[in-house]
Amino acid sequence: MHKILTFPDQLRLINERSAAFRAAVAAAPSLDVQMPTHPARTLFDHVQHVGMGRRKAAAIVTAGPADGPPEESAWGGGTGAPREREALLAWWVESVEHLASVLREAGPDRGCWTWWGDSPSPQTSGAWARRQLHEIAVHTYDVQLTGGAPQPIPEKIALDGFDDCQFTLCATTVAWPHDPAIVDYHATEGRSWRLRLSHDGAQVAHLAPAAGEDLDTADASARGTASDLVLFFYGRITLDSLKFEGDRRIFDQLVAWDPSV
């Protein structure tokens, strides 16, 4: 059965991943080291970027229903993050604590602007909480990798995270510009997803066939741990890190596709 994390779980795990992020930054040899996953950034640049993103998300939830995100003056502060490590770590903690406080006060059902309006995911504070958890989880992996000690995304977070990848980041009503295709993803923890690509867009469903039901054959499939599926989706690891079958070109097309253009 596919279960998503509850809102209280999301808030708790945001704090957990935030603490892991902080620990990885604290253990890094230097704030000037380059990020393997973002070569144009130093570790300091990355912490500032991710922290600012949490402040922006908090401002979006605070603003409630809107036609677009708030101006940078509502969340940027104009000064950026402090460069001294202990002050930077405190700034990071403050950024996430502010986000968690805003989400807790809003509850899961407050309407607010989102950039995923054509996906099945709701335009609510609860959907923002889900997005924030999974962004922090992936960025935590980035920082751990920079320090030479990457850890898999915890299973519960990764299973929910790949579900979010599919239903929020991938699903769309924008027409697929290539031949129709079916792509299946299988997590070794026992969950599967089917992505149908066509002129109707990208449609996602949980793959759980009833006994005796014959499913259409997928044109391509990928299998791995939920953590590896998430890391592949975000471009942190390659398709060769997964067990792959079928037409590889479809995955290349998916990576290159930007429905917003």
Side-chain angles (χ1 to χ4, degrees):
M1 178 181 295
H2 284 258
K3 294 183 179 180
I4 68 171
L5 294 170
T6 66
F7 186 69
D9 282 340
Q10 290 161 353
L11 296 185
R12 175 177 57 82
L13 292 169
I14 283 173
N15 288 332
E16 177 189 292
R17 287 296 85 197
S18 171
F21 183 100
R22 183 193 183 284
V25 175
S30 169
L31 294 178
D32 295 324
V33 65
Q34 281 190 313
M35 302 288 296
T37 53
H38 299 278
R41 293 180 196 165
T42 64
L43 177 56
F44 169 81
D45 295 333
H46 190 68
V47 176
Q48 177 170 246
H49 173 81
V50 181
M52 285 296 187
R54 298 331 101 198
R55 291 170 181 243
K56 182 177 181 179
I60 289 169
V61 173
T62 298
D67 294 329
E71 296 293 330
E72 186 174 350
S73 58
W75 52 270
T79 59
R83 289 192 167 270
E84 191 274 324
R85 190 188 303 242
E86 286 305 314
L88 178 66
L89 293 172
W91 178 88
W92 164 255
V93 170
E94 178 188 349
S95 300
V96 179
E97 286 182 347
H98 175 59
L99 169 66
S101 176
V102 165
L103 288 168
R104 191 175 298 110
E105 180 179 349
D109 301 320
R110 174 184 290 177
C112 49
W113 175 84
T114 71
W115 46 261
W116 55 83
D118 67 340
S119 84
S121 292
Q123 294 185 286
T124 62
S125 48
W128 270 109
R130 193 184 198 200
R131 281 273 69 239
Q132 294 308 290
L133 168 61
H134 300 309
E135 288 186 10
I136 293 171
V138 172
H139 288 309
T140 297
Y141 171 86
D142 291 338
V143 178
Q144 292 171 338
L145 180 65
T146 300
Q151 299 295 317
I153 298 171
E155 178 181 314
K156 182 181 292 188
I157 298 174
L159 284 168
D160 189 75
F162 193 70
D163 199 74
D164 182 55
C165 286
Q166 293 303 293
F167 283 95
T168 304
L169 305 184
C170 194
T172 180
T173 56
V174 176
W176 171 245
H178 306 287
D179 291 336
I182 297 174
V183 180
D184 288 348
Y185 296 98
H186 304 286
T188 56
E189 294 87 350
R191 298 186 193 174
S192 297
W193 296 260
R194 169 157 286 191
L195 175 65
R196 291 183 180 271
L197 300 163
S198 71
H199 292 302
D200 294 326
Q203 300 174 330
V204 182
H206 295 129
L207 190 59
E213 179 184 355
D214 291 328
L215 290 172
D216 294 334
T217 302
D219 297 290
S221 67
R223 180 183 300 273
T225 65
S227 176
D228 281 349
L229 288 176
V230 170
L231 294 174
F232 165 68
F233 189 91
Y234 281 98
R236 270 49 176 188
I237 62 175
T238 67
L239 182 61
D240 293 329
S241 301
L242 306 173
K243 183 179 179 181
F244 162 75
E245 295 180 352
D247 188 349
R248 190 185 189 103
R249 292 176 305 165
I250 298 171
F251 284 103
D252 294 336
Q253 291 167 348
L254 275 168
V255 170
W257 186 36
D258 184 355
S260 68
V261 175

